[in-house]
Amino acid sequence: MEKSLIENVFESEIKEIFQLKECDAGMYSPLVLAYIGDAVYELIIRTIIVNRGNCPVNQMHKKSSSLVKAPAQAEFITLLMEELTEEEQAIYKRGRNAKSATSAKNATIQDYRMATGFEALIGYLYLKGNKERLVELVLHALQKKGVLKIDEV
């Protein structure tokens, strides 16, 4: 309870200091949702990697890169599809089907689009303020992939 209070205070202070307005996450384009979702997901992954212990930054980068690259995200969303609500599936599909001006350097078009859908879902949940669900989905994906064991959380 205390932690969520601290988190809420932190978020409200950021909103106040930077004069951020309330937003309707559903009104953003899927590529905008993917843009913010990419950053949120990478921050979660980097936080997990850093928490595992101090090691050379290049090793941390390799570990985190293996989890944030498009093929890994495509695999994660495949593992999660059964768990998604209809609304979450719709957001994922909007992101997956969005026409992007860029393409992945080291991924198939299918993996890149699936990863974009995954990131759009993460961004949507983040902007909607549903961080519990966001963390739940990322945790389940990492556990199903075998990256995190239950006792490590």
Side-chain angles (χ1 to χ4, degrees):
M1 180 75 172
E2 187 176 320
K3 186 175 182 180
S4 66
L5 176 63
I6 292 169
E7 289 172 349
N8 288 337
V9 169
F10 180 71
E11 283 183 32
S12 65
E13 283 183 9
I14 288 175
K15 287 179 180 178
E16 184 179 326
I17 291 168
F18 293 103
Q19 300 175 357
L20 303 179
K21 60 185 178 187
E22 292 297 318
C23 66
D24 178 3
M27 298 303 292
Y28 287 104
S29 79
L31 295 178
V32 170
L33 295 174
Y35 173 75
I36 191 75
D38 175 57
V40 170
Y41 177 69
E42 184 153 1
L43 180 60
I44 292 169
I45 296 302
R46 285 184 179 207
T47 302
I48 292 168
I49 300 296
V50 167
N51 188 259
R52 288 186 171 176
N54 206 2
C55 69
V57 174
N58 67 337
Q59 286 180 11
M60 289 183 183
H61 176 70
K62 286 178 185 177
K63 289 177 185 177
S64 64
S65 292
S66 71
L67 297 172
V68 298
K69 63 184 180 180
Q73 290 180 354
E75 185 175 358
F76 289 153
I77 195 65
T78 301
L79 293 170
L80 292 173
M81 283 306 287
E82 297 173 354
E83 297 180 41
L84 300 182
T85 65
E86 286 183 31
E87 176 186 20
E88 291 167 347
Q89 287 181 16
I91 296 297
Y92 160 71
K93 288 176 183 176
R94 279 183 56 213
R96 182 196 64 198
N97 295 336
K99 301 294 182 222
S100 175
T102 61
S103 62
K105 297 174 198 158
N106 299 311
T108 66
I109 292 171
Q110 181 180 5
D111 281 353
Y112 183 71
R113 289 190 174 186
M114 290 174 73
T116 302
F118 175 76
E119 291 171 347
L121 175 59
I122 298 297
Y124 176 78
L125 293 171
Y126 174 77
L127 290 175
K128 192 174 174 188
N130 197 347
K131 292 171 193 75
E132 284 183 28
R133 179 65 174 156
L134 187 163
V135 169
E136 177 185 343
L137 289 175
V138 172
L139 175 63
H140 286 177
L142 294 172
Q143 287 175 333
K144 285 183 174 187
K145 176 69 175 150
V147 177
L148 276 182
K149 295 186 179 31
I150 293 173
D151 60 337
E152 289 181 309
V153 179

